[in-house]
Amino acid sequence: MAQEEGQNGGAEKTVVEVSFKSVKPQLFVEAPKATDAIQFYKTAFGAVETCRSTQPKRKADQELPHIVSAVLQLAGSTFIVADLSDDSSSTKGGGAGFAMCLETEDLKAAVAKAVAAGAVSESEIVEVEGACCCAERVTKVKDPYGFVWQFCSPSNKCGANVEA
Amino acid sequence: MAQEEGQNGGAEKTVVEVSFKSVKPQLFVEAPKATDAIQFYKTAFGAVETCRSTQPKRKADQELPHIVSAVLQLAGSTFIVADLSDDSSSTKGGGAGFAMCLETEDLKAAVAKAVAAGAVSESEIVEVEGACCCAERVTKVKDPYGFVWQFCSPSNKCGANVEA
């Protein structure tokens, strides 16, 4: 199944070279509970928050800003916590959802290689301010085993609105 | 909610110190497809497998050994792929499930601290050969947001039955 020449009848025999800068699990929490979840991961596990991207309140009845992504460091690893939005790139699951984020310069090649190996493209490349954390462009595929992999452009800046 | 003194009426005011050696996302795949999934992650993303723990076939009609855990390296990070078993410690979700594995010397203290912060204990500490990868003892909690965190003892050895 997972041959390098892909499943498209062997038309594409070239092995695409794609390099990834990072891979980070992203936990989607039912909005607006990401703030609480981040506090829980700090208290329960000693995680340290290094970046938070938010959207301002969009409705008068929203008390908390929407957390597009917050980066937590724990034991030398990084994971991302986000409020689930309608267009979140996630596998539905425990919590509100889950995705693996892969940071790469070449989103198009990354998607092509994954699709050639058997994944299904789930979205065009879109601009999402603050996604995954602080990438500018993101896209996603679903692998043959049901997991969502989100490819994002490298994070160059971060609106480090981090609460201690 | 996630105060350090916990939710048990303030009876436990001591902050427990727990240190973690690693945190790794674990992807559970419908058995026996973990072998295919690992090959997919190698082909699609260039992941490198560094450890595989298996159980021998337990039934005559099982063609593949059960993958208790396989460790994949990608972009400086580590993730684990496993066949889902009846007793797998996972959040049901995309794929067959998902958990975050935290490696620590002191499972009991880790559970106590997480539960004080609002998590729910999901199992006793049990011995699972080859879990998470090559830990000897594991236990798990579910956090208030629905995610499963599996605590495992440090991996001291690995029956590195890795296919190239």
Side-chain angles (χ1 to χ4, degrees), chain B:
Chain B
M1 177 193 258
Q3 300 301 308
E4 280 173 344
E5 59 267 33
Q7 296 186 307
N8 52 4
E12 187 182 336
K13 290 208 180 268
T14 318
V15 176
V16 183
E17 288 304 324
V18 181
S19 73
F20 296 105
K21 277 185 64 176
S22 70
V23 51
K24 299 169 193 160
Q26 180 159 6
L27 311 182
F28 291 95
V29 176
E30 185 191 343
K33 293 185 183 169
T35 301
D36 289 343
I38 292 162
Q39 184 57 51
F40 172 83
Y41 299 133
K42 292 178 183 176
T43 305
F45 307 134
V48 174
E49 186 178 357
T50 58
C51 172
R52 181 180 292 200
S53 294
T54 58
Q55 283 176 343
K57 293 175 278 183
R58 288 173 293 185
K59 298 174 189 170
D61 62 347
Q62 288 177 328
E63 291 184 12
L64 293 168
H66 183 87
I67 295 187
V68 182
S69 59
V71 174
L72 296 180
Q73 305 282 347
L74 176 56
S77 291
T78 302
F79 65 102
I80 299 175
V81 177
D83 276 320
L84 188 74
S85 63
D86 295 341
D87 55 353
S88 288
S89 308
S90 77
T91 305
K92 295 289 179 194
F98 164 69
M100 293 283 274
C101 292
L102 289 169
E103 201 179 1
T104 182
E105 295 279 357
D106 193 341
L107 301 184
K108 208 169 159 184
V111 170
K113 188 169 183 180
V115 167
V120 175
S121 171
E122 294 257 303
S123 85
E124 299 297 306
I125 295 172
V126 292
E127 308 224 345
V128 181
E129 194 176 341
C132 197
C133 190
C134 314
E136 287 173 357
R137 294 175 305 126
V138 297
T139 184
K140 58 181 169 170
V141 301
K142 184 175 277 188
D143 75 29
Y145 312 95
F147 292 102
V148 171
W149 297 76
Q150 181 166 289
F151 301 114
C152 33
S153 58
S155 308
N156 296 318
K157 55 180 167 50
C158 185
N161 176 19
V162 177
E163 293 178 7

